[in-house]
Amino acid sequence: MWLKIEKRPEYSKGMVYATPLIALLLTVLSSIILFEVLGVNPMEALYQFFVAPLDSTYGFSELFVKATPLILCAIGLSVGFRANVWNIGAEGQLLMGAIFGSSLFIYYPETESVFLLPVMILMGAVGGAAWAAIPAVLKTRFNANEILTSLMLVYVAGLILSFLIHGSWRDPAGFNFPESQTFSDSADMPILIAGTRMHLGTLLALLAVLGTWIMMARTLIGFQVKVIGEAPRAGGYAGFSQKKIIWFSLLFSGALAGIAGISEVSGPIDQVVPVISPGYGFTAIIVAFLGRLHPAGIFFAGLLMALTYLGGETAQINLGLPLAVTGVFQGMVLFFLLASDVLIHYRFRWNFSTKAVS
Amino acid sequence: MSETGGGAPQLELRGITKAYPGCLANDHIDLKIMPGEIHALLGENGAGKSTLVKIIYGVLAADEGDILWEGVPVTIPNPHGARKIGIGMVFQHFSLFEAMTVSENIALGLPGRQNMRSLEKQIIDVSKNYGLPLDPQRQVHTLSVGEKQRIEIVRCLLQNPKLLIMDEPTSVLTPQEAEKMFETLRRLATEGVSILYISHKLDEIRALCHKATILRGGKFINECDPTKETAKTLAEMMIGSSLRAPAHHKAVKGGDVRLKVRNLTVPATTEFGISLKDISFNVKSGEVFGIAGVAGNGQIELLSALSGETRSQAADAVTLDGEYIGWLSPNERRDLGLAFVPEDRLGHGSVPEMTLSENAFLSGYNRMKLISAGFINNISSARYATDIVRKFDVRTPGIFHTANSLSGGNLQKFIVGREILQKPDVIIVAHPTWGVDAGAAAFIHQTLIDLAEKGAAVLVISQDLDELFAISNRIAVISEGRLSAAKSLKEITVEEIGLLMGGTHGTGAPKEASHVA
């Protein structure tokens, strides 16, 4: 008797939806072991992680605050991933969006206009797209691997932010702390529900979910992205340009990551600081895959990953667990997801026959 | 027990039955192959040939029935077990690593560690003996379909099998090469090797095989001596109704030139690619123009230059109805009325993981107006796909199944149908019936001829000479990126084409060569 892995004749549609749940189940099981080893009651820890953060309206609104940048980045990345364009530098594009977007306020802090915020958001999108354009040029012109170039540019973006915030962008009245002055009202993201931090960015994220859903399901450009990703030669046969799709998907994901960046600084943070994102751009990769690269899936996966951020903080405060548990959690989700994705194209079969060739 | 007298059959199948969900692929099939016998397995797509062969080769297990090897019942658990007892198989679809060399690929298919140098020598020896020229050092991705198949054949022969299963082996060989391979097979047979030969080329089976087993719809129909049958009676047994040869239309004289190619020169894009050299021809309205040639002589490059996947250097290198299209993209060419069916149907002509409806949209969205107000019209795409499935008899459970769930022949019908329903002015088809059963092939041929009779220009690029002779008005031969002068069907013979395929251009055709109709 042995276990056999055999290819399915046609990929399993059921498994496409089942594997994220399998991955979550395995993550929870493994984390029970992890908590046990750390000497914490697993049930208590799971409660603190997944339930406690949501026991108030405020807690619930915080979930959306954290999910907003994750969803924005992941939606953009998912389009690239569908086209086999592996932009993993959303974190850098997010930072450049924040820098570009806030530059308007930093250099013209006195501006009082209803147009200030929309233009800042637009600049944020431009900043993120411009940063993603670098891997696009390198890929289409020199065939450089976008995984490497986009990742390396994350660190460059981080250093540019550091350079600005420790230098000319520092608030003159800020006692030499590396922080900009706080944003004025007209540069702030409007709050959606009074008493919470839920802001306009959440609405933008929802718009991105719906818009991308329609784009991927019902428009020619979305169809082109899918064809180029799955069968580039068939794309060439249909007359779709691979270079155009590389450009499109990088600019699109860069722009959304840039919007995520500007929504963070003019939303919950309210000023430019040295650390804008706790790795939203990287976690968004997990969100994109956990959401099956589908906008609706990404919406829920974004909420779930946001919960791990909140849960990590709660667990740190109430149980004294290290914050790194959040990262371990997120890593396990991706790890188990990639492992169980094998079930989409393959199935296990127990073989009970032991007869061999006579 | 057998009419050849003493000795047990090399392989005997008794009542082999295999059911898939919703279909009985093999229904109590009997088969007997004597040592040294060349045995044909004949049947349409979906007749159960592949399933039966997979059972013999250990890829599938039968639900019922016995396999006897040299008279002893055996269980063949997997292909490794099959090779161990002496069964070798050359598949129609290749299992090769594209990024590795020929000899590395062959080494991977052989048990144990290999001495690469002596293996290369063996490969060269075998490939010379059997008329299958191969350079062991070449990387597989640079080879054509025909050359890739040679690797599979040589890989099998290296293991000295007692039973050799060959799945449509000659579809990519020149007549001379095929004839040479038949000699090889006959020699192997006299050495006592049994051969199970799957082919749809009935003449070939009659010339080569001692016995033939005919399957239809998963059932055993007949075992006969193919030398005592005609191609027509064999085909009738196979498809179960009288076969209709394509109704050949009259030679067209005064048709307008629709597709014109002038001095088309395209440099090779890869190290081992073929560059097209100064190709000129034209295809008239109402005409089927055939381009013959052995795989890997520039067919892929020519098709890609005509479809627009590679742009020409000069705009006037390709002209469609008087308009220069050399610089236009595939889309723009389609809008002007050009349609094309590429050689590779999965991954080039279709997106494997997409549904038939989406694959219908792939090439048809503009001409069939499947986009309304900027959005994909799923309803009309589905209607278009349903139309193709219905009119071209594509066997599928539904249009929302993926392209790779279809058998090769059915997918080919789908792709050809998709292009034809767009009512093209000029259609370019590569290997229209490769791997397609006789019934479907006749249907595709007839459709192409009908299209030509309605005034379209049809260009067929194929290695199957029978096919080209059956449907073309004029034929040219491509060899090493050069195209011979086109000749009308009445002026050219198979022998002449064979010589042109081998690279002798134009002159020196044998005088007494017989005509083929």
Side-chain angles (χ1 to χ4, degrees), chain B residues 331-343:
Chain B
N331 271 334
E332 293 164 325
R333 294 183 194 201
R334 261 202 198 95
D335 292 348
L336 292 173
L338 191 68
F340 19 91
V341 177
E343 172 176 2

Side-chain angles (χ1 to χ4, degrees), chain A residues 9-11 33 65 72-73 101 128 142 151 154 174 190 206 209 228 256 267 269 313 316 330 336 343-344 349 351:
Chain A
E10 199 173 354
Y11 77 89
I33 299 169
V65 172
L72 278 169
C73 291
F142 304 105
L151 178 63
V154 170
L206 285 175
V209 168
I228 292 287
L256 285 187
I269 305 177
E313 282 169 17
Q316 188 186 20
Q330 295 178 348
F336 286 124
L343 293 171
I344 294 172
R349 185 167 275 190
N351 201 332

Side-chain angles (χ1 to χ4, degrees), chain A residues 157-226:
Chain A
L159 292 173
I160 292 176
L161 175 66
S162 255
F163 169 75
L164 291 172
I165 204 62
H166 287 99
S168 61
W169 282 24
R170 204 161 31 181
D171 182 2
F175 308 103
N176 245 347
F177 278 107
E179 291 172 352
S180 77
Q181 58 187 114
T182 50
F183 283 22
S184 67
D185 283 352
S186 46
D188 267 347
M189 288 271 170
I191 296 295
L192 295 180
I193 299 171
T196 70
R197 301 200 299 163
M198 214 161 116
H199 55 91
L200 182 69
T202 309
L203 221 52
L204 295 178
L206 285 175
L207 272 179
V209 168
L210 286 177
T212 307
W213 193 343
I214 293 169
M215 179 182 83
M216 292 304 288
R218 293 295 302 277
T219 67
L220 185 59
I221 185 80
F223 185 77
Q224 293 183 342
V225 163
K226 289 185 278 185

Side-chain angles (χ1 to χ4, degrees), chain B residues 173-440:
Chain B
L173 304 179
T174 62
Q176 286 88 345
E177 281 174 329
E179 193 45 55
K180 209 165 173 204
M181 198 189 66
F182 292 164
E183 282 168 28
T184 313
L185 294 182
R186 289 192 189 104
R187 199 171 75 222
L188 282 168
T190 56
E191 287 165 11
V193 178
S194 310
I195 292 159
L196 184 59
Y197 190 88
I198 303 162
S199 174
H200 65 275
K201 293 185 185 169
L202 304 165
D203 290 326
E204 216 175 82
I205 288 175
R206 289 177 55 238
L208 180 70
C209 301
H210 307 127
K211 277 274 167 58
T213 293
I214 294 131
L215 304 183
R216 191 199 314 150
K219 290 195 173 64
F220 172 84
I221 296 299
N222 199 2
E223 191 194 69
C224 63
D225 180 349
T227 54
K228 296 195 177 114
E229 305 284 336
T230 64
K232 196 153 181 293
T233 55
L234 282 175
E236 276 168 12
M237 278 190 261
M238 180 167 77
I239 61 176
S241 60
S242 294
L243 183 68
R244 213 156 47 86
H248 215 298
H249 53 303
K250 307 164 283 279
V252 203
K253 289 263 164 62
D256 302 328
V257 171
R258 303 210 81 162
L259 178 72
K260 185 163 127 187
V261 176
R262 277 289 161 271
N263 308 327
L264 175 70
T265 298
V266 181
T269 43
T270 60
E271 200 184 340
F272 297 105
I274 299 287
S275 47
L276 299 178
K277 297 163 198 115
D278 213 17
I279 287 183
S280 297
F281 63 92
N282 45 45
V283 190
K284 290 180 220 151
S285 164
E287 174 182 55
V288 179
F289 187 89
I291 292 184
V294 181
N297 273 289
Q299 288 96 328
I300 295 169
E301 290 80 1
L302 177 60
L303 192 68
S304 143
L306 294 178
S307 72
E309 284 156 85
T310 341
R311 311 288 157 83
S312 313
Q313 286 165 336
D316 64 350
V318 188
T319 315
L320 181 72
D321 283 334
E323 203 162 334
Y324 296 156
I325 61 165
W327 287 346
L328 299 187
S329 73
N331 271 334
E332 293 164 325
R333 294 183 194 201
R334 261 202 198 95
D335 292 348
L336 292 173
L338 191 68
F340 19 91
V341 177
E343 172 176 2
D344 194 352
R345 44 201 167 217
L346 211 53
H348 195 183
S350 71
V351 183
E353 302 260 290
M354 281 192 169
T355 64
L356 294 183
S357 179
E358 286 170 302
N359 271 300
F361 179 85
L362 180 71
S363 83
Y365 64 90
N366 238 354
R367 270 180 94 77
M368 303 308 287
K369 303 198 170 46
L370 302 180
I371 294 182
S372 35
F375 290 103
I376 295 174
N377 190 332
N378 287 329
I379 297 165
S380 37
S381 296
R383 202 180 294 136
Y384 176 40
T386 313
D387 222 25
I388 302 169
V389 166
R390 204 163 35 80
K391 287 189 180 143
F392 287 80
D393 187 31
V394 180
R395 313 252 165 95
T396 167
I399 55 161
F400 296 111
H401 283 258
T402 55
N404 59 3
S405 70
L406 261 61
S407 73
N410 274 310
L411 185 57
Q412 182 72 0
K413 283 194 273 184
F414 182 82
I415 292 173
V416 171
R418 177 184 71 192
E419 300 304 308
I420 285 176
L421 286 189
Q422 293 176 30
K423 300 195 173 60
D425 298 321
V426 175
I427 187 166
I428 301 163
V429 191
H431 310 292
T433 58
W434 190 35
V436 175
D437 61 71

Side-chain angles (χ1 to χ4, degrees), chain B residues 40-96:
Chain B
L41 188 60
L42 250 179
E44 283 196 288
N45 284 340
K49 294 175 308 208
S50 317
T51 305
L52 188 67
V53 163
K54 280 180 185 163
I55 290 169
I56 299 174
Y57 197 55
V59 180
L60 292 172
D63 299 337
E64 271 177 56
D66 300 308
I67 302 176
L68 282 78
W69 181 253
E70 292 166 350
V72 186
V74 289
T75 307
I76 301 171
N78 50 39
H80 180 69
R83 286 194 293 271
K84 224 163 85 183
I85 59 175
I87 301 176
M89 172 151 183
V90 176
F91 283 93
Q92 195 186 349
H93 299 286
F94 319 128
S95 46
L96 298 169

